[in-house]
Each structure stands twice: as structure tokens, then as C-alpha cells.
């Protein structure tokens, strides 16, 4: 980034005749470097309290709320009504100045992997930047934009949400050229009331979609199509053996899935046919921006995915670990279990499943429904963790009385000790649960076991 204090002030509705160059933007005072702009946000503590630390670390300018205490001396102060709104406005300005075209991705599951696949495809032809980690909310998205290099041509932005109108805000900041919805599941149904409410919230991604843009949606999602009837932008549907853009899965391996699109063969270094639908979005984006088939093929095959999303690891004793512990909802958990059940393994298949959060009044029923994906013919043992997983424990005891099932309501340490004691070197184990349940601790303990 290279912006002057003067143009930053103009971008956020303030005035400062100062041509000092700003080379970075941070809201964490510990990350500020020399020449940076500090954005004091309100969180557990008010960011204005950390201005001295920001200055000590090299901040040369700061946004400063008109409602805050007296502005500091020794630093250029840009007065604003709301530092967060100012950062969002600055992101809009910087995006327009750089001229990068935006691909926006949302969905109840798979949006991070889809972001990674899409960025990998676009990078075969364009200077491409993407959301880092899970920076996909009203703070993380403008932060991502403000960190893209000035020679960026395409930027792939993940858009997350917990409540209605949140994606509208993100879409209006980013003004995407392409918008994609991976799927409609049950994530955050507690806040949105129903899958229909989730579909409406995800469709907010079109609120900032450019008139000459493209919307990509799954063919097999009936809740979305009625919401597209008034759109004037181009719409493309995708799916496995269905939709305008179709894929046929030809083989599934532990660390790769092979498929055909338009009579051409492709491979992604990821397990599961559900990841092929994510790859179809990346394919459609590549086509829209004029990439040849070979470039799309290379981009898909060479993707590096964000950590903890469908990631194969090894336990300390040699057992295989399929880690997918960042988030969970019933649709996503079912897909992962079905995929895992069909993968070859030398030893037993085991599963560690933790609570899926924010599912609302039907949460226990949704947890119990996972029994449909845990046939004893495919799984030798199941370890359940969390208060809500008791419903699945009871259902499995009823449906499959001979299946080995262990339940741990709150004792994660006992869960870890039990799994470490019982897993064998030739086994494979899948772990899935909401991020708040901390299954990453189990993964790390398995990796470090002797």
C-alpha cells in the first residue's frame, strides 16, 4: 500500500493537507510497523487505549473517533465518526484505486476451500490476492482489501455471516464482479430461523454485484432459484451431474479426487465429491475471466488449502488423520462422514465428532440424524464430545447396539486419552466439529503421540 494521509482523509470524509505516505493499516497495535495507519476499534477494550503502543511500533497516523478522549499528540490524527466505518470506506477507495476485480464467495460450508481453489486458478494468469485465514467479516474483509498488493488484478474475498444484512454490508464494500454461493446448510440457523432464512441471507451477496457480473449457485438448491428471478446479472448453476456446469466424479482417493468437466479430466488434491462442487465454482470463475482449460487444470491441481479444512495429517504412531475441525453443520458433517466411509484404509475407520453449534431448537434432532452416516460396516468406533452429542450417542445405541461408541460430555482430556490409547498405527480417524469445541486440541495431541 502507498497512500498519503491527505487522500486517506478524503476517502473517509475528513480533511488533512498532509502528503506523508502510509504504507500499511492495522487495528492491532502490536502489528503496526513503521509508516503505518492505526485503526482503534472497539472490542473487549477500546482500541483508543493502545495508541501509545501503536506509536511506539511505528504508527505515523491514526483514525480517531470524535467521541473518544482527547486526541494524542505526536501523531497525525484523522478525525472520524467511527473508525470501523472509516476503515471500510478506505477499503472501498483503495479497491477502486488498485482496480482489482473482486470474486466474492459465501455459503454454509466450503467457502474457504472454494476461495483457495478459485485463487489458485486465477493465479495462473492474474496477480491474485485472497482472504487470509478466516478474515471474512465486517472487519476482516476491509482489512484483507487494504493488505492486497497494489499490482493485484483479482482479489478473492470470502464473506461470512451470523445474522441477516451482514453480507449486504460486505457486498456493498467489495462490489464483486463475480459472486458465488457454495451451498445452503444449517449453519447459524439459530439466528436466521430456517434454511430459507439462511438462503435469503446468503443471497445478500448480490446486493453489490456489478450489473455486468456473474452469480454462480448450486443447481440442487431449490431455495435459491426463486430469489434470482428479479436479477439482471448472468446466472450459472453447477452440480454433480446436474446444472449448466456439471462434473462427473471418476475416482476418489485418500488425498485426491478425479473428475470430468466438459469431457476434460481434472484432479484436486482433496478428498470428497463435495470438494468437486467447490472446484466447479473455481472452474466457472476461471472460464468467466478467460483462462484456458490447461490453466484451470493446473490451478485446481496445485491448490494449497487453508489449515484445518479437510486436511490429511499423520498421528505420531502413523495412523491417518482427516482433520476438518474448523466448523460444522449437519450437511457438512454428513458429507465428510460419507466421504470418509468410502476411502480405502489398511485398518479401522474411527470418528471423533463434537457438537455443532448455533443450530437452534432442533439441534438435538440434527445431532441424532448423524447416525444415518455412521454405519458399523464403515466405522469401527465413534467418539462423541459435547452436551449436544448425547442425542447422537443415544441414537447410535438404539440404531446400532453393536457399534463401539464412547461419549464424553465435557471431559476433553479424557477423550484425548481414550483415543490415544485405542488408535492403532494402521487406523484412519476423522475429526469434525464446530471450532468452538476445540477439536484442534485432539488433532495436535494425536500428532504428538509416541
Amino acid at each position: 500500500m502507498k497512500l498519503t494521509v491527505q487522500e486517506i482523509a478524503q476517502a473517509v470524509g475528513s480533511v488533512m493537507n498532509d502528503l506523508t505516505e502510509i504504507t500499511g493499516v492495522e487495528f492491532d497495535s502490536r502489528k503496526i510497523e513503521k509508516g503505518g495507519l492505526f485503526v482503534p476499534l472497539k472490542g473487549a477494550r477500546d482500541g483508543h487505549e493502545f495508541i501509545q503502543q501503536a506509536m511506539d511500533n511505528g504508527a505515523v497516523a491514526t483514525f480517531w473517533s470524535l467521541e473518544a478522549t482527547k486526541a494524542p499528540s505526536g501523531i497525525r490524527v484523522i478525525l472520524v465518526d467511527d473508525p470501523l466505518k472509516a476503515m471500510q470506506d478506505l477499503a472501498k477507495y483503495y479497491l477502486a484505486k488498485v482496480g482489482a476485480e473482486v470474486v466474492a464467495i459465501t455459503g454454509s460450508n466450503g467457502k474457504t476451500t472454494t476461495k483457495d481453489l478459485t485463487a489458485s486458478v486465477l493465479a495462473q494468469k492474474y496477480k491474485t490476492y485472497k482472504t487470509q485465514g478466516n478474515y471474512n467479516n465486517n472487519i476482516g474483509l476491509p482489512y484483507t482489501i487494504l493488505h492486497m498488493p497494489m499490482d493485484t488484478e483479482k482479489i478473492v474475498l470470502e464473506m461470512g455471516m451470523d445474522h441477516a444484512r451482514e453480507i449486504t454490508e460486505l457486498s456493498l464494500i467489495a462490489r464483486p464482479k463475480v459472486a458465488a454461493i457454495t451451498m445452503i446448510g444449517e449453519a447459524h440457523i439459530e439466528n436466521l430461523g430456517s434454511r430459507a432464512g439462511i438462503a435469503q441471507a446468503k443471497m445478500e451477496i448480490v446486493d453489490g454485484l456489478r450489473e455486468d457480473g456473474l452469480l454462480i449457485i448450486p443447481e440442487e438448491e431449490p431455495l435459491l432459484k426463486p430469489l434470482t428471478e428479479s436479477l439482471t446479472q448472468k446466472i450459472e448453476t453447477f452440480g454433480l451431474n446436474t446444472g449448466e456446469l456439471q462434473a462427473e466424479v471418476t475416482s476418489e482417493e485418500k488425498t485426491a479426487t478425479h473428475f470430468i468437466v466438459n469431457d476434460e479430466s481434472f484432479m484436486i488434491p482433496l478428498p470428497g465429491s463435495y470438494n468437486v462442487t467447490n472446484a466447479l465454482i473455481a472452474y466457472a470463475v476461471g472460464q468467466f475471466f478467460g483462462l484456458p482449460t490447461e490453466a484451470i487444470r493446473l490451478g485446481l491441481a496445485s491448490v494449497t488449502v487453508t489449515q484445518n479444512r479437510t486436511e490429511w495429517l499423520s498421528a505420531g504412531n502413523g495412523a491417518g488423520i482427516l482433520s476438518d475441525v474448523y466448523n460444522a453443520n449437519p450437511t457438512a458433517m454428513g458429507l465428510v462422514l460419507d466421504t470418509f466411509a468410502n476411502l480405502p484404509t489398511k485398518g479401522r475407520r474411527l470418528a471423533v465428532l463434537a457438537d455443532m453449534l448455533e443450530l437452534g431448537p432442533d439441534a438435538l434432532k440434527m445431532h441424532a440424524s448423524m447416525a444415518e452416516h455412521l454405519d458399523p460396516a464403515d466405522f469401527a468406533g465413534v467418539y462423541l464430545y459435547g452436551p449436544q452429542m448425547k442425542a447422537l450417542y443415544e441414537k447410535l445405541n438404539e440404531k446400532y447396539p453393536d457399534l463401539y461408541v464412547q461419549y464424553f460430555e465435557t471431559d476433553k482430556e479424557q477423550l484425548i486419552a481414550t483415543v490415544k490409547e485405542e488408535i492403532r498405527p494402521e487406523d484412519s480417524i476423522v475429526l469434525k466439529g464446530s471450532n468452538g469445541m476445540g477439536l484442534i486440541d485432539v488433532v495436535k495431541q494425536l500428532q504428538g503421540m509416541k
Side-chain angles (χ1 to χ4, degrees), residues 302-325:
S302 59
V303 67
T304 300
V305 296
T306 302
Q307 196 173 20
N308 297 329
R309 271 78 167 183
T310 321
E311 183 179 22
W312 273 106
L313 305 167
S314 293
N317 69 347
I321 302 171
L322 182 57
S323 172
D324 196 345
V325 298

Side-chain angles (χ1 to χ4, degrees), residues 220-274:
E220 293 186 321
E221 185 42 79
L223 292 171
L224 287 176
K225 286 191 175 180
L227 302 178
T228 67
E229 292 175 355
S230 62
L231 295 182
T232 57
Q233 294 93 338
K234 181 182 178 183
I235 301 169
E236 185 170 12
T237 63
F238 67 91
L240 297 178
N241 304 306
T242 186
E244 294 164 331
L245 182 62
Q246 301 184 15
E248 177 186 354
V249 177
T250 54
S251 67
E252 296 185 53
E253 303 166 11
K254 192 173 181 180
T255 57
T257 307
H258 301 262
F259 57 100
I260 293 174
V261 181
N262 293 331
D263 298 322
E264 296 276 357
S265 297
F266 297 86
M267 183 278 290
I268 51 174
L270 301 166
S273 57
Y274 62 93

